[in-house]
Amino acid sequence: MNERIISGTVICDGAIQDVWQAWTTENGATTFFAPACKIEPQIGGAYEMYFNPDGAPGQKGGEGLTILALQKHKMLSFTWNAPPHIPTVRGQFTSVIIRFDKLNLNQTRCTLFHSGWGDGGEWDEAFEYFSSAWLKVVLPRLVYRFKHGPIDWNNPPPDIDSINR
């Protein structure tokens, strides 16, 4: 059996240290990833993204997630869980790795790998959900952030086709 992995690569018009900070600091992540978050950039530290910051505990989004590994300006790895509407899988964790490659002074390649998927039922639903979320929302918003500025969470770009124009 082959391991299912979601993978995607984007080129950001930003220096590697700026793209790194976008992923590894609260000030950075709120410019493209989620309107609120908690990031403690250390092994075992929090890596929580709050897509619904005003929601009740357990309903905010990526809660209870942690950093697995850090290699400054090269790699970030963290746990991930399913959204609240997929409850069985939400109680388990998958893992995400982001790799950073400096292309030149003002361009950085970011490659995302999301693995650790089970099979069938809610696992298939979560895999499909995140295939779309990472590749059609999060990574394009990262590119947008470096091309046009931070995401306006009151009026976010609607979709991948219009996001990076």
Side-chain angles (χ1 to χ4, degrees):
M1 175 184 238
N2 292 329
E3 177 69 18
R4 289 195 294 180
I5 296 174
I6 297 167
S7 65
T9 299
V10 294
I11 307 294
C12 299
D13 291 333
I16 197 164
Q17 62 270 19
D18 297 332
V19 178
W20 173 258
Q21 286 206 324
W23 283 97
T24 61
T25 68
E26 291 175 2
N27 286 340
T30 56
T31 66
F32 82 98
F33 204 154
C37 62
K38 179 180 180 183
I39 297 176
E40 299 167 340
Q42 62 194 24
I43 306 307
Y47 199 82
E48 300 182 350
M49 294 297 145
Y50 308 134
F51 303 101
N52 180 21
D54 297 325
Q59 300 296 310
K60 294 181 182 200
E63 298 166 86
L65 308 177
T66 59
I67 293 176
L68 297 171
L70 289 161
Q71 186 179 15
K72 190 172 184 178
H73 298 161
K74 293 187 181 293
M75 183 269 302
L76 165 67
S77 179
F78 49 89
T79 60
W80 202 248
N81 62 359
H85 73 272
I86 308 175
T88 302
V89 175
R90 183 169 173 78
Q92 302 184 56
F93 296 108
T94 54
S95 61
V96 176
I97 299 170
I98 310 295
R99 297 246 178 227
F100 303 83
D101 296 302
K102 177 180 176 178
L103 299 178
N104 58 51
L105 289 177
N106 296 308
Q107 282 193 316
T108 303
R109 178 175 41 237
C110 278
T111 304
L112 175 142
F113 303 95
H114 188 170
S115 64
W117 300 99
D119 294 309
E122 285 189 5
W123 282 107
D124 292 346
E125 181 182 353
F127 183 85
E128 291 304 316
Y129 177 89
F130 283 112
S131 291
S132 179
W134 289 123
L135 305 179
K136 294 183 179 180
V137 180
V138 177
L139 291 178
R141 285 183 178 175
L142 176 68
V143 172
Y144 179 96
R145 177 258 182 263
F146 281 96
K147 188 178 276 191
H148 302 290
I151 299 295
D152 174 357
W153 293 107
N154 293 315
N155 187 26
D159 59 45
I160 193 169
D161 293 328
S162 63
I163 199 166
N164 289 312
R165 287 187 196 147

